Amino acid sequence: MDINWFLLAPAAFFAGMVDAVVGGGGLIQIPVLLSQFSQTAIPTLFGTNKVSSIAGTGASLWRYARAVPIPWAVVLPATLAALVGAWLGAAVVAWLPREAMRPLVLVLMLAVAIYTFRRKDFGHSASRELVPADRWRGALLGLTIGFYDGFFGPGTGSFLIFGFVRLFGMDFLKASASAKVINAATNLSAIAFFASHGPILWTVGLIMAACNLAGAQVGTLLALKRGVGFVRQAFLVVVAVLIVKLAWDMLAPAA
């Protein structure tokens, strides 16, 4: 099979760059993989996407952790709960159709976008100190978003960032860094799941991973250099793209 690296490599690089700032890299990589390998099983392509994504996520997490104080007291419970939630969400897929989630997610995304846009100071600076009870709130957030990620998936990073800002008073930069911890853990879990349910295109995934990692370095550098305002703007752009994609996916079958 002829592989168009002039398409896959830039897509992986750009996905890594976007994902490092506010998440949403899957919006770029998965459609490209689907178009390039149209005869390949979906679990194989999703697993290949995760192999690429985890390289960029890990690299951006490492760089964020050196420059941004990550509130581990909240993030670790959220990460462990997210792993449980993702497994539960994946298990529920057998009983409930994913398509039932689309209208609800579209409404939630619109609410997130409107709230963030109207609150000009939202996430520009830390609004409060963390308290012991936030560990349980973090676990609940991780369980909920992890379940959503395992069951449906689109916008997971955006929901995590919004949750960290809204529930724990973080600024957008710290929220983005914190979300990377959960993203890395759930990506690793997803790779294990997809690898056990079918072959992964390891050569494609690893080459894309190198490009994704390079893009993540650029994205993280931009986020750290340009600060909270830049991350907030990028967040709104990615949420807007998600809204358009979800609406298109709902309306396209009817067209």
Side-chain angles (χ1 to χ4, degrees):
M1 178 187 294
D2 292 329
I3 299 176
N4 186 356
W5 289 111
F6 291 103
L7 178 63
L8 288 176
F13 178 89
F14 189 56
M17 186 171 67
V18 172
D19 207 56
V21 182
V22 288
L27 286 171
I28 301 165
Q29 283 193 158
I30 289 176
V32 172
L33 283 167
L34 288 171
S35 68
Q36 179 67 38
F37 303 100
S38 57
Q39 303 303 312
T40 304
I42 296 298
T44 295
L45 296 184
F46 279 18
T48 304
N49 170 65
K50 292 297 185 184
V51 170
S52 174
S53 297
I54 197 170
T57 301
S60 59
L61 171 58
W62 178 77
R63 193 155 190 171
Y64 273 129
R66 296 174 63 196
V68 179
I70 295 176
W72 294 105
V74 168
V75 172
L76 283 181
T79 301
L80 294 174
L83 289 173
V84 175
W87 185 87
L88 292 173
V92 170
V93 171
W95 291 284
L96 293 175
R98 291 175 187 257
E99 297 305 309
M101 287 290 292
R102 236 180 261 281
L104 175 60
V105 174
L106 181 59
V107 171
L108 289 174
M109 277 289 171
L110 281 167
V112 165
I114 292 169
Y115 185 92
T116 305
F117 184 77
R118 287 173 61 90
R119 291 280 302 275
K120 303 299 182 184
D121 60 338
F122 183 67
H124 269 285
S125 60
S127 60
R128 70 173 179 85
E129 295 293 326
L130 296 176
V131 298
D134 284 332
R135 291 186 178 91
W136 299 107
R137 296 189 187 101
L140 182 59
L141 174 68
L143 184 67
T144 303
I145 302 300
F147 179 88
Y148 169 76
D149 192 26
F151 181 71
F152 190 61
T156 297
S158 300
F159 283 133
L160 277 172
I161 291 171
F162 182 82
F164 280 129
V165 176
R166 181 68 183 86
L167 296 177
F168 306 108
M170 298 182 192
D171 62 50
F172 268 103
L173 191 59
K174 186 178 289 187
S176 181
S178 299
K180 293 294 172 288
V181 181
I182 298 176
N183 289 150
T186 54
N187 280 350
L188 189 61
S189 177
I191 290 171
F193 175 83
F194 287 122
S196 67
H197 284 71
I200 288 177
L201 304 176
W202 288 105
T203 301
V204 173
L206 291 173
I207 293 174
M208 289 182 70
C211 299
N212 193 282
L213 189 151
Q217 296 286 351
V218 174
T220 309
L221 180 64
L222 280 172
L224 292 174
K225 185 175 182 179
R226 301 190 62 179
V228 172
F230 171 74
V231 178
R232 182 181 187 275
Q233 292 169 3
F235 174 82
L236 283 169
V237 169
V238 169
V239 169
V241 171
L242 275 165
I243 290 170
V244 171
K245 183 184 184 302
L246 287 166
W248 174 263
D249 289 345
M250 287 174 59
L251 296 173

